Amino acid sequence: MRRQLAIMRQSLFDQGYLDEQFIELEELQDDANPNFVEEVVTLYFRDSARLILNIQQALERKPFDFNKLDGYMHQFKGSSSSIGANKVKAESTLFREYCRSANAEGCLRAFQQLKKEYATLRKKLEAYFQLARQTGPLETASRPK
Amino acid sequence: MNLSSGKEYISTASSSAGWKAGDAAAAAAADQFPAGLRVLVVDDDPTCLMILEKMLRTCLYAVTKCSRAETALLMLRENKNGFDIVISDVHMPDMDGFKLLEHIGLEMDLPVIMMSADDGKHVVMKGVTHGACDYLIKPVRIEALKNIWQHVVRKRKNEWRDFEQSGSVEEGDRLLKQSDDADYSSSANEGNWKSSKRRKDDEDETDERDDTSTLKKPRVVWSVELHQQFVAAVNQLGIDKAVPKKILELMNVPGLTRENVASHLQKYRLYLRRLSGVSQHPSNLNSSFMSPQEAAFGPLSSLNGLDLQTLAATGQLPAQSLATLQAAGLGRSAGKPGIPMPFVDQRNIFSFENPKLRFGEGQQQHVNNNKQMNLLHGIPTTMEPKQLAGLHHTAQSMGNMNMQVASNGSQSSQNNPLLMQMAQPQARGQVTNDSSLGHATRLLSPMGQPILSNGVAANVSTKTGIQENVRAPSYNPVLQTSSMLNFPMNHASELPGNSFPLGTTPGIPSLTPKVAFQEDVNSDSKGSVGFMPSYDIFSDLNQHKPQNWELQNIGMTFDASQHSNNLQGNHNHSQPVLVQQGFSSGQVNGQNKSATVISKAMFSAGDSTGHANAQNGNQHLNSLLVDGTVRVKSETVADATPTNLYPDHFGQEDLMSALLKQQDAIAPAEHEFDFDGYSLGNIPE
């Protein structure tokens, strides 16, 4: 099972769902905080859900307030990047570009894509942590603490 | 130490962080520094906050987290000495991160690091101008947090220097005032010089300063009430006339020293400058020359930008100095805007970078263009605090002078290019110093005189002496036009001494006196710029005899004085002189004076260092000198003159005497400062 976990973890990186920032988090995990990464990720999904909702609502009001949208997305991007959510971060960047060029269509499309990636990541990470809990403490970080 | 024990320590530290004085925590922390560093982290994003907290804990810091800026301010106010450093996000819902930064700077004077996912140049620049000592891009890695303690140390170092120089600040103030009032004509200069000298003699500040320099004064926390009292006093006096001594008298707060007021005034001026926007003319600057300079320096941007930024970055660059520098730099199209173009904008407002501006590091890199900066680097690392202190004063006076010079510099367009040129190479060198530059920048600014930069730059890079404090970006070039060397005198060591554009001003001989000035000025700024670089300039100047019109003399003078003064032991003896100058100017954040002083110092230093450093400075100096931008008004310098070579304890008197000695030998030296004959002639008050 440990190997399964490792494989799962590696694929998340290989497929670009996670980047090296996630490893930073893993390195912070230690005996005193054995579930640190999971805690952070949980907090992220909880908090970012609120942001997604805000953006959703802002996109329902016409015309678009691009500044506001950009602001929300800036926050969202910051959050996502801090846990290493790579694809989600990329979609946020794209969304912001559309905001800056006041491209409403682009924003809508980018947002749909972003929500998809967000949902996918959430599912994958949930599965990952579930397995991790079953497996017990595992060596995640390659770098020595 | 193993993590677990570290953790325990942290938790203890955390609890103690909340203590009023945090003495116990501080005591414990001191032994294991940087472990136990009390960090306050502010971020509205809970995910980031959690991660940061964990990272900081892993670094063994005592962390307090906060999701709202208002709460953070409350915490800081309640527990004035409870934190060592603050890390804040830029975008927050209840208050802009920069606003928080300003508040903290004014009220608590703590180093603040900004962070954001936004890495746009403008935002980063904003951080610099508002006085952030560093800027982190999210996502933040733990490696970036491991070294934040350096900002705390640096700040403390600078403050200590301020204390030391506080005594000189007043002198510098007075000197500067004299200079300001004085006519810049040669005769007037002479008069100023004399009067300055008289003031100096009468001044017992030096003694006082010496005494106080040995003690580390407890940090004064500027509470809201205290700050309000301060603002009331300043308004009552009028921002232009507000001098620390008078403010102190008006405030009538027991236990508050002039030094405290002086450094706070500096910051306040920066703050005001920033508020007033780009169009602002530096009221802070003693002289209004900044304005004219600004116009003149438009093109200088490159120089200025770099230097100024660096200077600014270093945090201590007084707005005025910056302005001057910028002006100088801008004036000279020669300089490439390279950096901080924002400076260009700021020119008008004298980008008085926040004293807290510690951006130095980042900026400095950009400063490549500004050789000036490099100069500063070279300078004075070896500058001993005393020297720096002296520089401060000098710097102040210099700053003043610089300003004036700067204005003149603009006029001497040709000078500028020279200065610019000189500055440039120097700036490059220095740029690397960064952070410390912040302080240095203060000093530098005044040194618009290119002279300094040239000489200084050269020296600075080479001079390691000043290195310690003067990280100041080689502001030398900046001085160009206005002799406003932004000597990043920040912390004496920083001053790369580059900027002493002392270079070309013919009035170089007078420069020497200026050097003395800087010391005065330095008192204001922290970490007197190790104008060492300036010394280099002089040396360069000396070498280029033919070019340095006056510099040569000055250089000579310095040399003489240097020897006599026994410059603190900087390796480049000559450098010390420079450094001092540079620093003094830099120090005077609020006071342009320092800038002038610095420039002066630069000159003097240039001379002295010329011999020693010869390498860099000379050429630059020469050019600088030639420009005559070294307007370094003798007035300001006059006071400082004798003390160019600040001996270990910036005895202005010593310098003065040294200078005088030289002066005697050189005769015209005294007047040299005035540079009346030189293009600077018009340095407006």
Side-chain angles (χ1 to χ4, degrees), chain A residues 20-21 24-25 28 30 32-33 36 39-40 43-44 47 74-75 78-79 81-83 143, chain B residues 3 7 44-48 50-51 54-55 58 91 116-118 138-143:
Chain A
E20 54 281 348
Q21 186 64 20
E24 286 274 323
L25 298 189
L28 289 173
D30 51 29
N33 299 83
F36 178 71
E39 286 166 13
V40 175
L43 180 58
Y44 162 73
D47 185 59
H74 170 84
Q75 277 182 274
S79 236
S81 66
S82 67
I83 67 152
R143 286 171 268 174
Chain B
L3 223 52
K7 283 204 168 76
D44 62 313
D45 184 336
T47 311
C48 291
M50 184 175 178
I51 296 172
K54 187 71 176 74
M55 282 181 173
T58 306
H91 300 278
S116 179
D118 198 347
K138 285 185 178 176
V140 179
R141 295 167 64 94
I142 194 170
E143 288 79 28

Side-chain angles (χ1 to χ4, degrees), chain B residues 455-467:
Chain B
V456 176
N459 295 327
V460 177
S461 37
T462 54
K463 299 297 178 166
T464 51
I466 312 208
Q467 304 284 337

Side-chain angles (χ1 to χ4, degrees), chain B residues 244-451:
Chain B
K245 191 159 190 202
K246 295 214 186 101
I247 297 173
L248 185 66
E249 286 166 13
L250 276 177
M251 284 176 72
N252 195 24
V253 171
L256 193 68
T257 65
R258 192 171 47 70
E259 295 81 50
N260 300 139
V261 175
S263 63
H264 193 73
L265 178 67
Q266 231 170 341
K267 297 194 200 104
Y268 185 66
R269 281 185 173 152
L270 279 174
Y271 170 75
L272 289 182
R273 189 169 296 285
R274 233 203 343 274
L275 288 184
S276 44
V278 174
S279 57
Q280 202 38 323
H281 49 300
S283 51
N284 295 338
L285 296 174
N286 294 317
S287 44
S288 45
F289 39 74
M290 291 295 287
S291 314
Q293 290 178 344
E294 294 179 335
F297 298 118
L300 267 183
S301 56
S302 57
L303 259 192
N304 295 328
L306 289 171
D307 299 332
L308 289 177
Q309 285 212 325
T310 321
L311 287 178
T314 41
Q316 297 303 343
L317 182 55
Q320 294 160 1
S321 339
L322 270 180
T324 322
L325 284 175
Q326 287 189 332
L330 293 171
R332 303 298 140 197
S333 35
K336 289 118 58 91
I339 314 190
M341 297 317 279
F343 268 75
V344 181
D345 297 332
Q346 308 219 349
R347 266 186 312 129
N348 301 325
I349 27 178
F350 290 130
S351 39
F352 238 128
E353 298 304 311
N354 231 315
K356 290 347 162 106
L357 209 61
R358 302 232 201 274
F359 185 80
E361 279 124 358
Q363 296 296 6
Q364 311 218 331
Q365 306 303 334
H366 296 294
V367 178
N368 298 326
N369 303 345
N370 302 337
K371 304 279 178 90
Q372 306 170 344
M373 307 280 260
N374 296 329
L375 283 179
L376 287 179
H377 278 294
I379 315 186
T381 32
T382 53
M383 282 271 300
E384 294 172 68
K386 293 209 177 144
Q387 282 183 330
L388 286 177
L391 281 177
H392 280 295
H393 290 299
T394 324
Q396 289 183 344
S397 23
M398 294 285 294
N400 218 5
M401 304 209 20
N402 288 335
M403 304 287 268
Q404 311 203 335
V405 175
S407 48
N408 290 323
S410 50
Q411 296 174 9
S412 49
S413 50
Q414 54 175 155
N415 292 338
N416 295 332
L418 282 178
L419 290 174
M420 298 283 298
Q421 303 293 343
M422 311 229 305
Q424 309 251 330
Q426 304 180 344
R428 303 255 176 151
Q430 306 296 343
V431 180
T432 50
N433 281 328
D434 38 328
S435 51
S436 23
L437 287 180
H439 296 287
T441 44
R442 281 200 291 176
L443 291 173
L444 287 180
S445 42
M447 302 302 283
Q449 325 214 350
I451 304 188

